[in-house]
Amino acid sequence: MSFSRRTQHELEPNALTLAVRARRAAGLAVCDLTQSNPTLTELPYDRGRLLAALSDPRSLVYEPASFGLREARSAVQALQREAGFEIPAERIVLTSSTSEAYGFLFKLLCDAGDEVLIPQPSYPLFEHLAALEHVNVANYALAYDGSWHIDFDSLTRARSSRTRAIVVVNPNNPTGSFLKRDELRRLLELGLPIISDEVFSSFAQAADARRVTSVLETDEALVFALGGLSKLAALPQLKLAWLCAAGPKAALAEALARLELIADTFLSPNTPVQHALPQILAARLPVERALQARIGHNFSFLVRELEGTAATPLFLEGGWYAVVRLPTLLSEAEWVLALLKQDGVLTQPGWFYDFTSGAQLVLSLITEEVPFALGVSRIAERVRTVAG
């Protein structure tokens, strides 16, 4: 049987996955510092309000709309207005996920064999999303010198005659670094469309006037800002996201006309969540505040607990994750396997996110406070033991 090359990937589980399975099969506890599913943690969801909103009888009527129901797009429009951006509903496209939004935009901007530029390190899903659209990726580096910034020399080297768009993640996952306004100006000079994943943008750790709130700050080039319920409302199971578009008038009009055809071909957002969206967004703030408090508490504990050890939490601006730099006395694989097998602590190695050198751990800051403290304390002790 023959299958497409674009679906070919490594089927064998890696050593960490096998070790986790073995530990759980043996009935041994796992202190999971990779927990990124908010619905499996204790959060103050307004369950009654959410369930009532999802029970709207209008959901029994099918109303196909290429960009999504007007009421739902108006709710996203109001959300953008709160952030200081006036985006007409006609420039808002609803999708079932940000992954689907990427797929739409890759279809819009790229032919088979074209390229998009993606940051490194970053979320490991991009290569799969691009491959499924017959699109190649080229990496540009995020450099760290006490804080994160775009390495524009690497971006220049990565660009080719087939480059069709630049992807930024604002703030980036897992580095938590925001795009700065001087960086956006330099990106605009390249004359390429910019796709900005802004799902974590509500989770900044402190104010910084240099930051780009959203690429919707500019219309000098085609820009697409992605958001969704997965992070904003901590409700990934409801499967609703959006992209908001801005740019020069003629290019924007053509982009939206082509996006309408793409979106109309799929019509994927489900009706109940679209009708419920105004209530879902109105109910999100207690959950957002609880997550912000947990993230801040956990990161502060991480910094205090690792102080004086050979492990260093890297500077964090926002998002749900922390990066910890470890001494290279062990490889990343050896660190994560030692922590799991000897200390019962599950972490993610930096290579999951395409860190290219050194030894890093990536920890989820939305892990509940008690298991987070337990796991971090064990990491600190393991580092002391290894480093002597």
Side-chain angles (χ1 to χ4, degrees):
M1 182 67 186
S2 178
F3 297 99
S4 69
R5 287 190 298 275
R6 66 182 182 273
T7 59
Q8 184 175 345
H9 63 282
E10 180 60 57
L11 298 177
E12 293 299 318
N14 60 50
L16 181 59
T17 298
L18 292 173
V20 172
R21 290 177 183 173
R23 187 173 181 88
R24 286 178 169 150
L28 299 174
V30 174
C31 183
D32 188 356
L33 300 190
T34 72
Q35 179 58 265
S36 59
N37 182 347
T39 67
L40 297 181
T41 71
E42 186 60 38
L43 290 170
Y45 294 106
D46 190 338
R47 289 167 171 79
R49 185 176 185 179
L50 293 172
L51 291 172
L54 290 165
S55 300
D56 192 318
R58 291 178 298 170
S59 297
L60 294 175
V61 177
Y62 180 45
E63 303 175 73
S66 300
F67 283 176
L69 296 179
R70 180 72 186 216
E71 177 190 21
R73 287 185 288 126
S74 294
V76 176
Q77 181 184 30
L79 187 72
Q80 294 292 355
R81 188 176 294 122
E82 289 175 16
F85 304 108
E86 194 58 53
I87 305 298
E90 292 75 21
R91 290 200 260 139
I92 297 169
V93 183
L94 302 185
T95 62
S96 62
S97 64
T98 51
S99 294
E100 183 176 61
Y102 278 114
F104 283 11
L105 292 172
F106 293 164
K107 289 179 180 71
L108 171 70
L109 300 170
C110 301
D111 287 321
D114 285 342
E115 294 176 349
V116 294
L117 302 180
I118 63 172
Q120 185 181 45
S122 195
Y123 193 54
L125 189 62
F126 291 132
E127 289 190 16
H128 298 291
L129 293 174
L132 291 173
E133 305 297 338
H134 300 281
V135 172
N136 299 321
V137 300
N139 296 112
Y140 65 90
L142 300 181
Y144 186 78
D145 57 6
S147 62
W148 293 96
H149 56 88
I150 295 175
D151 180 341
F152 278 92
D153 288 339
S154 76
L155 191 148
T156 299
R157 291 192 299 270
R159 186 180 183 182
S160 77
S161 61
R162 301 297 299 268
T163 301
R164 297 294 178 264
I166 304 169
V167 173
V168 298
V169 185
N170 190 41
N172 188 55
N173 173 18
T175 65
S177 51
F178 279 85
L179 184 69
K180 307 304 187 294
R181 289 197 169 89
D182 63 326
E183 293 176 319
L184 177 58
R185 284 194 297 272
R186 293 186 66 179
L187 292 177
L188 290 170
E189 290 171 2
L190 300 175
L192 292 168
I194 300 172
I195 301 169
S196 180
D197 188 329
E198 300 175 357
V199 296
F200 290 109
S201 63
S202 298
F203 297 94
Q205 289 302 295
D208 185 340
R210 299 172 302 159
R211 289 179 190 154
V212 172
T213 305
S214 169
V215 292
L216 297 173
E217 292 180 11
T218 184
D219 60 4
E220 293 179 33
L222 271 179
V223 294
F224 303 93
L226 278 55
L229 294 182
S230 176
K231 307 302 185 295
L232 181 66
L235 292 168
Q237 75 278 25
L238 294 189
K239 305 305 296 178
L240 188 69
W242 47 84
L243 66 86
C244 301
K249 187 174 181 180
L252 180 61
E254 183 168 0
L256 291 169
R258 290 168 179 257
L259 273 172
E260 184 172 13
L261 174 62
I262 296 168
D264 193 63
T265 302
F266 290 88
L267 293 173
S268 53
N270 70 81
T271 299
V273 74
Q274 291 188 73
H275 282 305
L277 186 59
Q279 288 298 316
I280 294 169
L281 293 177
R284 79 185 193 279
L285 289 179
V287 174
E288 183 179 301
R289 294 184 187 118
L291 280 171
Q292 282 280 38
R294 181 181 296 169
I295 290 165
H297 176 277
N298 283 346
F299 188 69
S300 294
F301 180 85
L302 178 68
V303 171
R304 291 195 308 271
E305 191 69 9
L306 294 184
E307 188 175 2
T309 75
T312 305
L314 301 190
F315 180 69
L316 181 70
E317 293 185 73
W320 286 10
Y321 299 91
V323 178
V324 176
R325 181 168 288 169
L326 299 172
T328 54
L329 298 167
L330 301 177
S331 69
E332 281 183 344
E334 289 170 331
W335 274 114
V336 295
L337 289 172
L339 284 166
L340 180 65
K341 293 179 178 180
Q342 299 178 47
D343 304 300
V345 179
L346 177 59
T347 60
Q348 289 183 322
W351 61 262
F352 275 16
Y353 297 86
D354 288 333
F355 281 87
T356 57
S357 62
Q360 284 82 208
L361 298 180
V362 177
L363 311 179
S364 171
L365 294 171
I366 71 164
T367 306
E368 291 182 5
E369 289 89 337
V370 171
F372 187 85
L374 175 64
V376 169
S377 296
R378 291 179 180 177
I379 292 172
E381 187 57 36
R382 176 59 46 194
V383 171
R384 292 188 188 100
T385 299
V386 171

